[in-house]
Amino acid sequence: MPSAGHKPQRTCLGCRQSYDQQGLARFVLSPAAEVLVDYRSRLPGRGAYTCLNLDCLEQAVKRRQFQRTFKSQGLQVSFEQLKQALLSSIEQKIVNLLGMARKSGVVVSGSNMILDALTGSETLAVVILAHDVSEGIGGKVARSAAARGIPDFQLLDKEALGRMLGKEERSVVALKVGPLAESVKTEMSRYKKIAGEI
């Protein structure tokens, strides 16, 4: 019988190393014989796993590991499609977390409020810049965040960030220190790895 602290282990199809299942990306085979990303581990069926990095995903596709795992040699698997599906899944998880953060009252939005918070006593944990933020504002916020040792990421556009918060366009969003901010940082780091930005 497993101990209370036991976490399920799975083997990455790319590097063939075993890791905690929760730290891997899960894939399943649909009834239409299509490999789907199951980022939230909720879809039925046998799962296949890779590390959350591009190299392992690419190796798994090149070595036809999905075909072996799902016992379907005629299965068509596209690295680019899986990469984009995985990015979309992570992005949706971040959006969900930001929605929870808004409801919990730990979101600060708007460049002026965030710059004030970064230079004041407010404790922020992570800053998110819209893809279409102006260079002037984006650079100023990023420099202020870096001076405080606070990571900044880019995600969505101003309209989407604002809509997610139930507001007009927002070019910058930040989260106060807490569990939700830590979860967002984890997911943003994963997103950047899969996007090939780090």
Side-chain angles (χ1 to χ4, degrees):
M1 207 173 152
S3 65
H6 174 76
K7 294 181 180 178
Q9 299 274 305
R10 295 292 183 268
T11 300
C12 168
L13 296 183
C15 66
R16 307 305 298 167
Q17 299 295 310
S18 293
Y19 300 99
D20 288 346
Q21 179 178 325
Q22 65 183 17
L24 300 171
R26 184 176 189 262
F27 304 85
V28 297
L29 189 65
S30 75
E34 179 184 5
V35 177
L36 303 176
V37 175
D38 182 24
Y39 193 66
R40 299 173 72 187
S41 296
R42 293 188 173 180
L43 296 177
R46 178 176 184 169
Y49 299 83
T50 71
C51 293
L52 283 157
N53 65 56
L54 279 180
D55 288 342
C56 285
L57 181 59
E58 188 171 20
Q59 288 304 313
V61 173
K62 280 184 177 178
R63 295 174 183 167
R64 297 180 59 82
Q65 292 295 336
F66 288 102
Q67 286 85 345
R68 290 188 182 91
T69 300
F70 295 126
K71 297 179 171 57
S72 177
Q73 290 306 308
L75 187 63
Q76 297 299 309
V77 183
S78 164
F79 166 68
E80 280 301 325
Q81 287 179 358
L82 289 183
K83 173 186 172 181
Q84 291 307 316
L86 187 51
L87 285 172
S88 294
S89 296
I90 298 173
E91 183 178 286
Q92 187 55 55
K93 176 76 178 288
I94 295 166
V95 168
N96 292 344
L97 287 168
L98 290 175
M100 292 169 61
R102 176 181 63 83
K103 291 176 182 176
S104 300
V106 296
V107 170
V108 180
S109 69
S111 57
N112 289 334
M113 289 187 68
I114 289 171
L115 284 169
D116 288 346
L118 287 170
T119 54
S121 58
E122 185 76 76
T123 309
L124 301 180
V126 60
V127 172
I128 297 173
L129 302 164
H131 285 301
D132 53 350
V133 64
S134 71
E135 287 187 21
I137 292 174
K140 194 171 183 180
V141 171
R143 286 191 296 274
S144 295
R148 295 280 295 269
I150 298 169
D152 67 272
F153 302 97
Q154 285 199 329
L155 185 76
L156 306 176
D157 58 26
K158 291 188 286 189
E159 183 182 353
L161 272 181
R163 187 170 59 247
M164 183 187 60
L165 297 174
K167 300 178 181 293
E168 297 295 320
E169 290 186 350
R170 284 292 184 271
S171 57
V172 190
V173 172
L175 271 67
K176 299 175 185 177
V177 169
L180 284 170
E182 291 307 308
S183 294
V184 167
K185 285 197 286 185
T186 296
E187 297 302 330
M188 288 300 312
S189 294
R190 289 175 172 179
Y191 186 94
K192 290 183 76 171
K193 280 185 182 179
I194 297 298
E197 296 175 11
I198 55 174

